[in-house]
Amino acid sequence: MPSYTPWCHGTITRSQAEDLLSKAARDGSFLIRASESIKGAYALCVLYQNCVYTYRILPNEDKKLSVQASEGVPIRFFSMLPELVEAYYSPNMGLITQLQYPVLREDEMDEEAESNNLPPQLPPRNFLANDGKDSEPKSSEQGCKSLSDTYLMRLQHMDISIIPEEHQMALQEYFRTSICLDAEQVQFGYPNLPGLKKLTVDICKNLNSEISRILPVLEVLHRALDQQLSPGIGQLPKQNCCDSGQSVSFKLERLTKLLYCIEDKAKMSLFESVGNEGGHRKSLIPVVTFEVKQESLAIPTKMFLKVDVESGKLFLKKSKDGPEDKFFVHNKILQLVKSQRMHAKLVIVAESEKEKILRKEFTFDDTKKREGFCQLLQQMKNKHSEKPEPDMITVFVGTWNMGNAGPPHCIDSWFQCKGQGKTRDDTADHIPHDFYVIGTQEDPLGEREWAYTLKGVLRKITNISFKQVAIHTLWNIRIVVLAKPEHENRISHVFSDSVKTGIANTLGNKGAVGVSFMFKGTSFGFVNSHLTSGSEKKLRRNQNYTNILRFLNLGDKKLNPFDITHQFTHLFWLGDLNYRVEFPSTEAEYIVTKIKQQQYQELLSKDQLNIERNDGKVFLHFDEEEITFAPTYRFERDTRDKYAYTKAKATGTKYNLPSWCDRVLRKSYPLVHVVCQAYGCTNDIMTSDHSPLFATFEVGVASQFVSKQDPNSAPQGGIQIMNCVATLLTKSKTKFFIEYHSSCLEKTVKTLEGENTEHLDGSIKVWFGNQVELIPIISDPEYLLDQHILICVKSTDCDESYGEGCVALRAAQFAYTEFQITLTHHGERTGTLTGGIQLRTSEGTPTEKLYDFIKVEKDDTVASKGKSGDRFSVTQAHDISNPNYIGMSYKSGNVVDKGWSYSMPPKHLPSAGQGGKDVKQGSYDMGTTRSPAGMPMSEEMFDNPLYGAMGKSRSKDQDHPPKDLLVPPDPNFKPADGDPDRPPVPTPRHRSFTCSETKLQPPTCIPSRALAHKKPVVPSRSEGGLVPERPPLPSKSRPGLPEPQNPRDYRESAEHLSKLRPPARPGQPPPPKDLHAEVPMTGRSVK
């Protein structure tokens, strides 16, 4: 046995070995001691995650040594202990982790400690105190000789008998002569070290040639395992791996990456080959039965609804084990309508065999059961949809500060959204999400280990082998994106980046990592950040956020003028944001008491993030679902029953009051579909002082559109933007112009210089009088209505941005529409922009979206039954909004500034593709005019509450004129109509209606401030111009249906204003004179 074996501790006891390893406190630390029970045997002790694992080293008859490691690993025999230790430095040898750090014997540690007490021996300096020229060569020679002697002495104290003789001679020769040449090179400013380079080349001569021989073989194997490539790939291109100019370290890194990649792909192929026809394993959602109540003649009757997602059937049974002869197939289930007044009630609209529309009303045990049922039926519709591409996906977003501790054995609850807050029902456990985005902070695991853990958990829960889209790590901050295998070819343009915000913005202990990609025609961005800690460092956290916005480099490089908040259709920001609850430290027990009572509102009112967001300092125009769970920080580890809010430090006791440090926020383009389905934290994952946070979202996506029309014969489409006026919060004397960016345009379009007008408040008003015509690459409305125009106001002298915003083309689906957007730059509000937009498209009608399947109504409806074509009609005007799944109402308060608003025309006007003929100009709330898919509401559809749409069915011969409603303006915008620097704008008429009043009422004026005191329903999604203070539309009853005698008035406030018709907008054809002829205005005032 060689004499130098620092890891061999002889006959120390087991407890002594554990003490030494615990002092080492590093995973992979190890030592070997003599066995206490078997003579001639040893014990290998390895430290991993604060646990010591002991493996026996036993001799055989030939005195060969072997390790009793995990089963399934081939047994290897070694003649000596150093050979054994050297072999187990390699991974995958059957140990809990590979050997990494030998723990020294106590006597050597004492010697090392004694030597450390002496002043360190400095390398000799190459000059003397005498600065004379004669001394310089002498001092240089003495320094080189001293350096050479030092290294030669170190080499003599090492055991080099295990290395080849030629390598021993090469090392001695280098330290004897070549190191002095390298020292001279450094002295003259040349850091190439030719002597050391020659030494490494000589030592690695065989390795270099072996790598050059092996790398092409591994490349072939890697390409063969790559499932994205087609079988007929052609000849393998020549690789550059054999380039003699590349360093050995580069080749080794490439070799290591290839081996890891080959191992991962081989494992994935094996997983996917087991099960379903050798392909991707499909998620098999089990059959679920719900017990509900159905009223018959005012008597509740027990019923059972059995959902079979795989077969696409919904069974209705009177007993749990009853016959299954009555069922609806997926394509006959037309609509699910939730009641918001009764959170457990649901209406199923289905078509019978005789083409009759049936409307069945059921009451579930609770709201979560109803939501589980709706999610299962939505999954059924998606699974059996005839659409070639999905227009709706679900995204899981999770964040967890792991506290530098490994995860527990089971973390299933995190991905199943189990715990506190807005959670999923057990019946939805097996519904897989399309994407899983996991952000971690203080993550002690390696990338491969963590990714493998996540894939294993999801495979166990969903029976699907998820694909890794991206993984990016900055120190201990990490983000992982996983996707369903069937989406692999729909994902493109994957980017990742990181930003350091630690001390002096150079340390990566704090900062952010981000990933972006395109899913067909929709862009996604995800940012995982760990901001500065400490209750008093709120301003520092705000600066962290700004730096991340400025320097995180993701997405399309053509959108450089825009920060990440404008570059993506959907941006999700997650992580340990470290914002605290602003209470004095003496109130710690009071906070804990409030948490135990689940009274969070008072604490949330003091939440720093909420305060800063309300002041517009951070996360401007971001949305966050209501928090209904306890603070996720700071717990005692291994329990969730006690908060550890004090921490002893050398400077005194530090207080970390319980706070919602971990958050998930999102920001989406205007008028897109996004709904938060879950937002909460787990209860059973306790290895860290933080609890994992989860959030799930239902997101609408646009496909990469292929027009069915002949591009040569299709009419040329157009996007007209006019009457733009920008109000910029700047005192700059420069001139400004506007840049328009969009994926639907062939190139960026710039306007001419605007005309500036300075105001006394320090702002500048810029009028861009010229109308801009943008030519889209495709004029089909199915494509255009899903697109957005990014707007950037720039200065002419330095081409710098003074504000950016976004306009949705869907807002101009039916006619000319005015818009108001907030301009922002690097997360700060820099002004406003108002203007008008009009579309010219080809003929076509947008198809209904999958997410229109589930809708919400606040009040019950009266339905009529009839034959096909005579569907049901809603005879009352209803206030519709997105419900809270757990039956808790949204917080009332100030209207959230969404950053945009639109004045919309009536929904039943001709579409933009018809040239806007006979179009009446009016101001209309987007949410009250159309379905979220952009189609006029027909009598075959319920209203989509998630966009606030309020369609009313009417017969073909019933042609009531549209009525104008004015949405109360955003308080952050100044009315464009009162601007003296822009052309005259039509003044919209204000009218109000009850459901079926026929008596004309005198107008009643209500002060505008009265509307501001109304408590709004805060939406939880990007709603189509929806603002809470919206009056309902009048209902239009169908012919043949009796008018209700005593209709209910669902309005809370309304007002009559003048009947004056506004003048026509320039470029707009005048409306027909008889559009409102012989139609009385009905309504009554409400005080």
Side-chain angles (χ1 to χ4, degrees):
M1 179 183 298
S3 58
Y4 188 71
T5 54
W7 33 258
C8 188
H9 289 245
T11 57
I12 65 170
T13 63
R14 177 182 55 80
S15 59
Q16 288 176 327
E18 292 179 358
D19 288 341
L20 287 173
L21 288 170
S22 63
K23 291 177 183 177
R26 285 199 295 182
D27 288 354
S29 301
F30 72 96
L31 60 82
I32 292 179
R33 59 178 176 84
S35 173
E36 297 178 354
S37 56
I38 302 176
K39 187 177 181 179
Y42 301 91
L44 172 60
C45 305
V46 185
L47 181 69
Y48 183 68
Q49 293 186 2
N50 296 324
C51 295
V52 177
Y53 295 81
T54 303
Y55 301 91
R56 291 196 295 179
I57 302 176
L58 302 177
N60 62 1
E61 297 176 354
D62 299 329
K63 296 187 178 181
K64 298 273 187 175
L65 301 175
S66 62
V67 178
Q68 287 188 335
S70 302
E71 295 182 3
V73 179
I75 298 177
R76 297 182 59 182
F77 294 93
F78 305 90
S79 301
M80 305 171 68
L81 276 178
E83 295 179 16
L84 183 147
V85 171
E86 185 68 25
Y88 280 87
Y89 270 104
S90 303
N92 303 321
M93 293 291 290
L95 305 183
I96 185 66
T97 185
Q98 67 196 76
L99 305 184
Q100 297 182 64
Y101 312 107
V103 176
L104 301 180
R105 292 190 293 267
E106 287 185 312
D107 53 351
E108 292 194 6
M109 293 173 66
D110 293 339
E111 292 174 4
E112 190 173 289
E114 289 176 5
S115 64
N116 287 338
N117 292 330
L118 300 175
Q121 184 177 2
L122 297 176
R125 305 178 72 182
N126 57 6
F127 61 90
L128 298 177
N130 184 4
D131 291 331
K133 294 182 179 178
D134 297 337
S135 65
E136 288 183 4
K138 184 177 179 181
S139 64
S140 179
E141 291 176 4
Q142 289 178 347
C144 288
K145 187 176 186 306
S146 176
L147 189 66
S148 175
D149 292 343
T150 300
Y151 283 115
L152 285 172
M153 188 179 300
R154 289 183 183 179
L155 200 62
Q156 290 176 1
H157 285 81
M158 294 182 181
D159 178 21
I160 59 174
S161 61
I162 57 176
I163 65 176
E165 185 176 352
E166 57 176 328
H167 291 166
Q168 294 181 25
M169 295 177 62
L171 290 174
Q172 292 171 356
E173 181 64 23
Y174 174 74
F175 290 132
R176 187 176 293 113
T177 60
S178 299
I179 195 171
C180 295
L181 297 176
D182 284 349
E184 291 179 3
Q185 291 286 324
V186 173
Q187 186 178 6
F188 291 113
Y190 301 104
N192 295 330
L193 304 182
L196 181 62
K197 187 174 182 180
K198 182 177 181 300
L199 174 66
T200 55
V201 169
D202 292 341
I203 293 175
C204 301
K205 180 173 58 178
N206 295 334
L207 177 63
N208 193 28
S209 61
E210 192 68 15
I211 292 176
S212 300
R213 187 176 66 86
I214 289 175
L215 265 180
V217 183
L218 293 178
E219 291 280 2
V220 172
L221 178 59
H222 177 255
R223 292 172 68 85
L225 289 172
D226 196 341
Q227 299 177 0
Q228 295 182 357
L229 301 176
S230 58
I233 197 165
Q235 188 176 0
L236 180 69
K238 292 184 179 180
Q239 304 294 329
N240 295 326
C241 59
C242 299
D243 185 4
S244 59
Q246 293 178 346
S247 64
V248 177
S249 59
F250 177 82
K251 293 181 180 180
L252 278 173
E253 182 183 5
R254 185 175 178 81
L255 178 69
T256 305
K257 288 183 178 180
L258 268 176
L259 289 173
Y260 280 145
C261 191
I262 288 170
E263 181 183 354
D264 289 340
K265 288 183 179 293
K267 285 181 179 179
M268 197 62 65
S269 299
L270 289 174
F271 279 127
E272 292 166 354
S273 64
V274 179
N276 296 330
E277 303 173 1
H280 296 302
R281 301 176 69 186
K282 297 180 181 178
S283 174
L284 299 177
I285 300 176
V287 178
V288 182
T289 302
F290 295 84
E291 182 178 328
V292 296
K293 292 181 181 179
Q294 183 182 30
E295 288 193 4
S296 178
L297 300 176
I299 300 175
T301 305
K302 184 184 295 186
M303 291 283 293
F304 293 89
L305 302 179
K306 180 179 177 182
V307 183
D308 190 344
V309 173
E310 302 300 327
S311 67
K313 294 181 180 179
L314 171 64
F315 297 90
L316 285 72
K317 304 193 299 182
K318 294 185 177 180
S319 62
K320 194 169 186 178
D321 300 325
E324 298 181 351
D325 52 349
K326 190 173 182 179
F327 62 87
F328 291 113
V329 186
H330 62 90
N331 57 352
K332 298 295 183 181
I333 306 174
L334 306 178
Q335 199 83 68
L336 299 184
V337 184
K338 302 175 185 176
S339 169
Q340 194 170 2
R341 184 170 59 87
M342 299 178 62
H343 296 291
K345 192 169 74 172
L346 180 72
V347 175
I348 302 176
V349 182
E351 185 179 345
S352 67
E353 297 178 359
K354 298 180 180 180
E355 296 186 344
K356 289 186 177 181
I357 302 304
L358 304 178
R359 185 177 181 277
K360 296 186 174 292
E361 190 174 287
F362 301 99
T363 303
F364 289 76
D365 291 341
D366 52 48
T367 309
K368 287 180 65 174
K369 290 294 181 186
R370 184 187 73 172
E371 297 310 316
F373 177 83
C374 291
Q375 290 178 33
L376 284 171
L377 259 68
Q378 181 73 72
Q379 181 75 7
M380 179 195 297
K381 296 289 284 189
N382 296 352
K383 188 180 185 71
H384 299 278
S385 171
E386 297 178 357
K387 292 191 174 185
E389 295 293 336
D391 57 28
M392 185 194 77
I393 61 174
T394 59
V395 180
F396 173 93
V397 179
T399 176
W400 183 24
N401 186 319
M402 301 176 68
N404 290 312
H409 178 68
C410 181
I411 56 175
D412 297 2
S413 61
W414 190 16
F415 301 95
Q416 292 176 329
C417 300
K418 298 293 183 62
Q420 299 183 33
K422 188 175 180 180
T423 59
R424 291 178 93 183
D425 187 59
D426 295 341
T427 55
D429 282 351
H430 298 278
I431 300 179
H433 297 287
D434 296 275
F435 286 92
Y436 287 84
V437 182
I438 301 97
T440 51
Q441 308 85 38
E442 298 183 17
D443 187 341
L445 305 184
E447 281 189 351
R448 292 182 68 250
E449 184 180 2
W450 181 232
Y452 189 74
T453 300
L454 296 176
K455 291 178 184 178
V457 173
L458 294 179
R459 191 180 301 114
K460 179 175 65 172
I461 295 174
T462 66
N463 203 36
I464 296 176
S465 295
F466 277 78
K467 294 288 186 180
Q468 180 175 305
V469 176
I471 184 169
H472 197 87
T473 304
L474 172 67
W475 288 28
N476 288 33
I477 309 170
R478 177 174 297 136
I479 188 169
V480 184
V481 180
L482 305 174
K484 279 184 177 179
E486 61 260 33
H487 296 324
E488 190 171 12
N489 294 327
R490 299 181 178 125
I491 300 170
S492 63
H493 300 80
V494 181
F495 296 98
S496 63
D497 194 26
S498 60
V499 173
K500 299 174 183 177
T501 62
I503 298 176
N505 288 333
T506 57
L507 296 184
N509 62 322
K510 295 294 188 292
V513 291
V515 169
S516 68
F517 57 87
M518 291 289 296
F519 182 83
K520 286 295 186 179
T522 303
S523 56
F524 285 87
F526 299 92
V527 179
N528 171 32
S529 63
H530 191 188
L531 306 186
T532 301
S533 61
S535 178
E536 71 285 357
K537 297 180 181 178
K538 175 176 62 177
L539 298 181
R540 176 67 178 164
R541 283 187 282 276
N542 294 355
Q543 187 60 47
N544 291 164
Y545 166 77
T546 303
N547 290 343
I548 294 168
L549 280 190
R550 292 182 60 189
F551 302 119
L552 196 64
N553 190 8
L554 297 173
D556 190 352
K557 306 306 178 191
K558 297 178 183 178
L559 299 178
N560 283 337
F562 303 89
D563 60 43
I564 57 175
T565 62
H566 287 109
Q567 289 187 15
F568 307 107
T569 313
H570 304 284
L571 174 65
F572 297 89
W573 196 301
L574 55 140
D576 181 2
L577 306 185
N578 256 322
Y579 286 94
R580 308 302 173 90
V581 173
E582 282 197 340
F583 275 87
S585 57
T586 54
E587 299 289 328
E589 284 299 327
Y590 174 77
I591 294 174
V592 172
T593 302
K594 286 291 184 181
I595 293 172
K596 290 180 179 179
Q597 297 172 351
Q598 298 185 12
Q599 297 178 5
Y600 306 135
Q601 292 300 322
E602 181 181 351
L603 305 183
L604 287 169
S605 66
K606 299 289 186 179
D607 176 73
Q608 289 179 342
L609 180 57
N610 289 342
I611 295 172
E612 297 301 287
R613 286 180 61 210
N614 291 337
D615 292 341
K617 295 180 180 178
V618 291
F619 293 100
L620 186 64
H621 303 149
F622 276 76
D623 291 323
E624 183 184 24
E625 184 70 4
E626 183 188 3
I627 293 178
T628 56
F629 51 89
T632 56
Y633 175 82
R634 179 178 184 253
F635 288 101
E636 283 193 2
R637 299 185 188 237
D638 300 323
T639 180
R640 295 296 94 150
D641 297 329
K642 187 176 181 180
Y643 285 96
Y645 51 80
T646 59
K647 188 176 183 180
K649 286 200 167 187
T651 56
T653 302
K654 180 181 178 181
Y655 282 83
N656 289 300
L657 299 180
S659 300
W660 288 275
C661 292
D662 310 283
R663 310 287 271 269
V664 174
L665 300 97
R666 65 158 185 87
K667 184 178 185 293
S668 299
Y669 281 172
L671 310 187
V672 295
H673 178 86
V674 55
V675 181
C676 182
Q677 294 181 322
Y679 191 39
C681 65
T682 64
N683 284 330
D684 57 349
I685 301 177
M686 300 177 286
T687 53
S688 169
D689 50 4
H690 291 251
S691 288
L693 196 73
F694 54 78
T696 62
F697 299 89
E698 180 184 285
V699 180
V701 294
S703 62
Q704 289 178 336
F705 187 80
V706 178
S707 180
K708 299 178 182 178
Q709 301 174 350
D710 184 1
N712 298 322
S713 61
Q716 180 67 58
I719 305 168
Q720 295 179 354
I721 301 180
M722 60 196 81
N723 304 314
C724 288
V725 177
T727 302
L728 303 177
L729 305 178
T730 179
K731 295 183 180 180
S732 175
K733 301 297 182 182
T734 183
K735 293 290 187 178
F736 299 91
F737 66 95
I738 296 179
E739 268 188 2
Y740 298 101
H741 298 251
S742 179
S743 59
C744 70
L745 305 177
E746 290 186 359
K747 60 182 180 179
T748 301
V749 179
K750 299 181 181 180
T751 67
L752 299 177
E753 288 184 4
E755 298 180 6
N756 295 7
T757 303
E758 296 185 10
H759 285 247
L760 296 177
D761 59 358
S763 64
I764 294 179
K765 186 155 291 188
V766 188
W767 181 64
F768 302 93
N770 298 316
Q771 176 177 308
V772 178
E773 178 86 10
L774 309 178
I775 306 300
I777 55 178
I778 300 175
S779 60
D780 195 308
E782 178 82 11
Y783 167 79
L784 272 185
L785 294 179
D786 284 331
Q787 304 305 311
H788 295 79
I789 303 293
L790 293 177
I791 298 176
C792 180
V793 179
K794 285 187 169 184
S795 64
T796 55
D797 53 359
C798 61
D799 202 46
E800 287 183 348
S801 172
Y802 277 69
E804 305 101 46
C806 178
V807 174
L809 297 187
R810 187 177 296 279
Q813 177 181 359
F814 301 108
Y816 174 90
T817 300
E818 293 184 12
F819 63 82
Q820 294 176 318
I821 59 176
T822 299
L823 297 176
T824 64
H825 186 62
H826 292 159
E828 297 181 358
R829 182 183 286 106
T830 59
T832 61
L833 179 70
T834 62
I837 184 170
Q838 186 170 5
L839 283 183
R840 184 178 68 252
T841 68
S842 60
E843 295 292 334
T845 303
T847 59
E848 187 175 357
K849 306 291 186 181
L850 285 172
Y851 48 75
D852 289 331
F853 175 61
I854 301 176
K855 305 180 189 292
V856 186
E857 281 197 322
K858 188 172 181 179
D859 299 293
D860 300 334
T861 60
V862 179
S864 63
K865 300 179 182 179
K867 296 182 180 180
S868 179
D870 185 16
R871 309 258 173 152
F872 53 89
S873 66
V874 182
T875 60
Q876 302 287 346
H878 302 293
D879 185 11
I880 304 175
S881 61
N882 188 31
N884 190 310
Y885 281 3
I886 57 176
M888 300 182 67
S889 61
Y890 292 106
K891 293 182 293 184
S892 297
N894 297 330
V895 178
V896 177
D897 175 19
K898 305 289 291 184
W900 47 266
S901 64
Y902 300 99
S903 60
M904 301 301 302
K907 65 181 181 180
H908 52 275
L909 290 178
S911 66
Q914 297 170 347
K917 294 181 180 180
D918 299 332
V919 174
K920 170 187 155 304
Q921 191 78 23
S923 177
Y924 234 72
D925 176 23
M926 182 63 187
T928 63
T929 61
R930 58 176 183 82
S931 76
M935 299 176 294
M937 298 292 293
S938 68
E939 56 270 9
E940 299 182 8
M941 297 172 58
F942 267 122
D943 306 319
N944 189 339
L946 304 176
Y947 280 88
M950 299 182 183
K952 303 292 173 286
S953 63
R954 58 189 179 91
S955 62
K956 296 180 180 178
D957 59 345
Q958 191 176 9
D959 190 17
H960 289 287
K963 308 297 190 296
D964 286 339
L965 296 173
L966 178 68
V967 179
D970 193 314
N972 295 307
F973 293 105
K974 296 181 179 179
D977 301 309
D979 184 0
D981 299 321
R982 60 175 293 174
V985 180
T987 303
R989 294 177 298 168
H990 293 223
R991 293 180 180 175
S992 62
F993 297 88
T994 54
C995 301
S996 58
E997 290 282 348
T998 56
K999 182 180 178 181
L1000 186 62
Q1001 299 292 336
T1004 303
C1005 295
I1006 296 179
S1008 59
R1009 68 181 62 179
L1011 292 175
H1013 291 296
K1014 178 185 171 183
K1015 293 185 178 180
V1017 178
V1018 179
S1020 66
R1021 52 182 299 143
S1022 285
E1023 303 187 39
L1026 179 65
V1027 292
E1029 303 96 341
R1030 64 180 184 280
L1033 283 177
S1035 104
K1036 303 180 181 70
S1037 59
R1038 297 183 52 80
L1041 288 179
E1043 292 284 342
Q1045 296 299 321
N1046 296 312
R1048 296 169 59 187
D1049 188 352
Y1050 291 91
R1051 295 173 301 109
E1052 295 184 20
S1053 67
E1055 54 182 328
H1056 291 296
L1057 292 182
S1058 68
K1059 304 178 184 179
L1060 295 177
R1061 172 176 296 281
R1065 169 74 61 184
Q1068 284 289 104
K1073 295 182 179 180
D1074 58 345
L1075 187 62
H1076 293 274
E1078 302 299 329
V1079 179
M1081 181 181 70
T1082 60
R1084 65 181 182 186
S1085 62
V1086 177
K1087 296 183 180 179

